[in-house]
């Protein structure tokens, strides 16, 4: 190691993420207890984040983390002679095992746990985030995150949540839970980039998780779809904010800032998945984003293709918000009046949704109805000023 | 692991059952009996309960016991039966419950070991 080289935060995050989950699987394997193993990993991660910035990242970070976790385990598990014996016998390097992190992921995302607990647990156990990092990323307190994790781990132990990969019959539903967790990380990271630039980049964690899942389950096309979706977003992140940190709408973005190579790679990944002819919501969302990402300009966008993709998406997952986005695309295919007619049927369901009114204002202005347009804009503004609506905004799909 | 399944009736479910003809109701009970037969190897005990209006609740918190007529929570969902089961883990319990043909809500509660 070279003590002179101080590792950056990003580098620390990367190295910890690469090894924390593996260490957790080895420890679960040895001591047979998810919760105890997880505590040891967290201790080792905290020790690393304390030492590595000063000492540099060791040549074998995995061995370093292992040694700390083992020592710590022998110490704290004093009363649990059973675990202690097992740990004491354990030497580095541990016997090579197949990558067991899928079991870890499926346990963290078990449907018997609340969604917020699934998210916190996945970040801590699989990605090696500390409780403090999770709290900062979600703008909440450390004690709130700690409580959530403690409760989830207690439930895993006491309610008999198994540490296993679900059988084929349960797999689609269970995989969907995992994908939802990763997707929510993408959303959370996507909307918060401008607000707290110094905290953990959750989009990076989301990409890493999706890539890991894709490597472990290469035949699952929706995993590939979600990975492509995340990469398409990340490829264009440089254009999303102006120098003052304000969001730049897709239509106004400087497309020369987009990472064309990353876009091409993500699109290839998506095309590969599409060859299996098993479309799902994530592949379709990625395909819609790809249409935007591949277009030279807003005007040159393949709106017809986008409308078709929205139709498919609506078929799989009907939602008024998706219909609204479809209406925006319809404007460029069939014209203002057609788009306006589409909006008309959404008024009741989306009356409290600010984007509905903002879109309506846009169309009315184009149609020459300035008074009505202003009224709709005012309504949109009212709704965005409402904190509850801001929460809805956070939860909405990140369509640009 | 051992769990108790708490079977929960809703008002809607009770009304639906009421509205059924005799044959239809017999078939519904038949499906429940079949479910118990299918899982007999995992069921350690349990029973259907008398209706919630037969319940008596005794509150011992502070001072004299307070006795009230009715279940401990007044609501549209009432516990109508229970079964103790012994299975490998929560996934197996969940699998069992997913095919339950009776009342619309089931709570799975692990027993203290």
């Amino acid at each position: 190691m070279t003590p002179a080289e101080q590792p950056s935060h990003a580098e620390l995050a990367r190295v910890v993420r690469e090894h924390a989950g593996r260490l957790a699987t080895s420890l679960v394997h040895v001591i047979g207890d998810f919760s105890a193993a997880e505590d040891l990993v967290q201790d080792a991660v905290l020790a690393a984040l304390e030492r590595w910035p000063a000492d540099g990242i060791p040549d074998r970070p995995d061995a370093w983390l292992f040694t700390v976790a083992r020592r710590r385990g022998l110490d704290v598990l004093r009363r649990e002679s059973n675990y202690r014996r097992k740990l004491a016998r354990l030497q580095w390097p541990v016997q090579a095992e197949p990558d067991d992190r899928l079991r870890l992921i499926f346990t963290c995302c078990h449907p018997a746990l609340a969604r917020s607990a699934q998210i916190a647990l996945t970040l801590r156990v699989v990605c090696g985030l500390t409780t403090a990092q999770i709290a900062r990323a979600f703008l909440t307190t450390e004690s709130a995150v700690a409580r959530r994790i403690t409760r989830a781990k207690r439930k895993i132990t006491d309610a008999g949540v198994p540490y296993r990969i679900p059988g084929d019959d349960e797999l689609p539903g269970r995989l969907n839970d995992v994908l939802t967790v990763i997707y929510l990380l993408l959303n959370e990271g996507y909307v918060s980039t401008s607000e707290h630039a110094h905290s953990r980049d959750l989009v990076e964690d989301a990409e890493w998780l999706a890539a890991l899942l894709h490597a472990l389950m290469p035949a699952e096309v929706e995993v590939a779809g979600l990975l492509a979706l995340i990469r398409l977003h990340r490829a264009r992140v440089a254009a999303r904010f102006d120098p003052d940190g304000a969001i730049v709408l897709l239509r106004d973005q400087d497309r020369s800032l987009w990472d064309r190579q990353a876009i091409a790679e993500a699109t290839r990944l998506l095309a590969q998945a599409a060859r299996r002819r098993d479309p799902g919501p994530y592949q379709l969302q990625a395909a819609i984003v790809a249409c935007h990402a591949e277009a030279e300009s807003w005007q040159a966008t393949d709106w017809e293709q986008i409308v078709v993709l929205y139709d498919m998406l609506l078929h799989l997952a009907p939602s008024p918000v998706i219909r609204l986005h479809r209406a925006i695309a319809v404007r460029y295919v069939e014209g203002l009046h057609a788009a306006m007619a589409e909006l008309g049927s959404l008024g009741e369901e989306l009356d409290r949704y600010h984007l509905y009114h903002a879109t309506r204002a846009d169309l009315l202005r184009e149609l020459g109805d300035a008074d009505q347009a202003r009224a709709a804009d005012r309504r949109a503004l009212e709704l965005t000023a409402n904190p509850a609506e801001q929460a809805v905004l956070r939860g909405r799909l990140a369509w640009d | 692991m051992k769990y108790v399944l708490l079977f929960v009736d809703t008002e809607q479910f009770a009304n639906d059952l009421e509205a059924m003809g005799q044959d239809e109701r017999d078939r519904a009970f038949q499906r429940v009996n079949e479910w118990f037969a299918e899982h007999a190897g995992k069921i350690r005990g349990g029973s259907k309960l008398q209706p919630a209006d037969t319940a008596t609740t005794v509150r011992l918190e502070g001072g004299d016991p307070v006795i009230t007529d009715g279940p401990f929570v007044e609501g549209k969902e009432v516990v109508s039966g229970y079964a103790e089961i012994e299975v490998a883990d929560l996934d197996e319990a969940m699998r069992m419950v997913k095919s339950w043909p009776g009342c619309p809500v089931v709570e799975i509660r692990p027993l203290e070991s």
Side-chain angles (χ1 to χ4, degrees), chain A residues 110-112 155 157-162 164 166 169-170 174, chain B residues 1-3 88-92 94-95 98 108-111:
Chain A
H110 195 277
K155 177 152 187 192
T157 304
D158 294 349
V161 170
R164 63 187 264 271
D169 54 329
E170 310 158 71
R174 294 288 307 275
Chain B
M1 278 199 57
K2 285 183 179 168
Y3 300 86
D89 52 39
L90 184 60
D91 280 4
E92 194 179 351
M94 283 166 57
R95 249 198 314 280
K98 278 178 185 166
I108 305 171
R109 188 79 81 81
L111 296 191

Side-chain angles (χ1 to χ4, degrees), chain A residues 42 93 96 114 167 170 213 237 249 252 267 277 302 366 381-382 395:
Chain A
Q42 181 73 186
E170 310 158 71
L213 204 56
V237 83
L249 293 178
D252 306 320
T267 311
R277 303 208 166 276
D302 188 349
E366 292 288 314
L381 201 64
E382 264 169 43

Side-chain angles (χ1 to χ4, degrees), chain A residues 43-193:
Chain A
D43 284 340
V45 167
L46 286 169
L49 293 182
E50 201 181 293
R51 297 285 302 279
W52 294 358
D55 300 351
I57 295 173
D59 294 334
R60 291 300 308 264
D62 43 358
W64 194 100
L65 288 166
F66 170 82
T67 306
V68 173
R70 181 177 178 277
R71 194 166 52 223
R72 177 84 182 146
L74 290 173
D75 206 28
V76 296
L77 298 177
R78 209 168 306 146
R79 276 158 305 187
E80 315 261 0
S81 59
N82 188 26
Y83 295 161
R84 234 179 96 85
R85 237 188 345 268
K86 290 175 183 167
L87 265 180
R89 276 206 303 272
L90 193 62
Q91 298 297 332
W92 183 265
V94 277
Q95 208 177 347
E97 301 156 26
D99 195 337
D100 231 5
R101 283 179 290 180
L102 260 190
R103 289 166 78 175
L104 209 57
I105 295 171
F106 276 108
T107 303
C108 292
C109 298
H110 195 277
L113 304 174
R115 188 70 79 199
S116 60
Q118 295 173 353
I119 291 172
L121 213 51
T122 303
L123 283 175
R124 209 170 98 144
V125 182
V126 188
C127 299
L129 264 74
T130 65
T131 306
Q133 286 170 333
I134 297 169
R136 269 203 302 282
F138 286 90
L139 303 176
T140 178
T141 63
E142 235 176 282
S143 60
V145 175
R147 262 198 311 276
R148 203 175 291 164
I149 285 172
T150 306
R151 189 174 170 274
K153 289 202 304 186
R154 201 168 53 225
K155 177 152 187 192
I156 288 173
T157 304
D158 294 349
V161 170
Y163 179 65
R164 63 187 264 271
I165 298 165
D168 287 346
D169 54 329
E170 310 158 71
L171 194 61
R174 294 288 307 275
L175 183 58
N176 203 33
D177 280 322
V178 176
L179 293 175
T180 303
V181 164
I182 300 175
Y183 184 75
L184 290 171
L185 288 178
L186 167 68
N187 264 331
E188 188 63 33
Y190 189 77
V191 296
S192 64
T193 316

Side-chain angles (χ1 to χ4, degrees), chain B residues 31-47:
Chain B
R31 282 195 296 275
V32 168
N33 288 337
E34 280 164 11
W35 184 89
F36 275 105
E38 188 193 334
H39 298 290
K42 298 166 188 165
I43 294 169
R44 299 283 170 267
S47 178

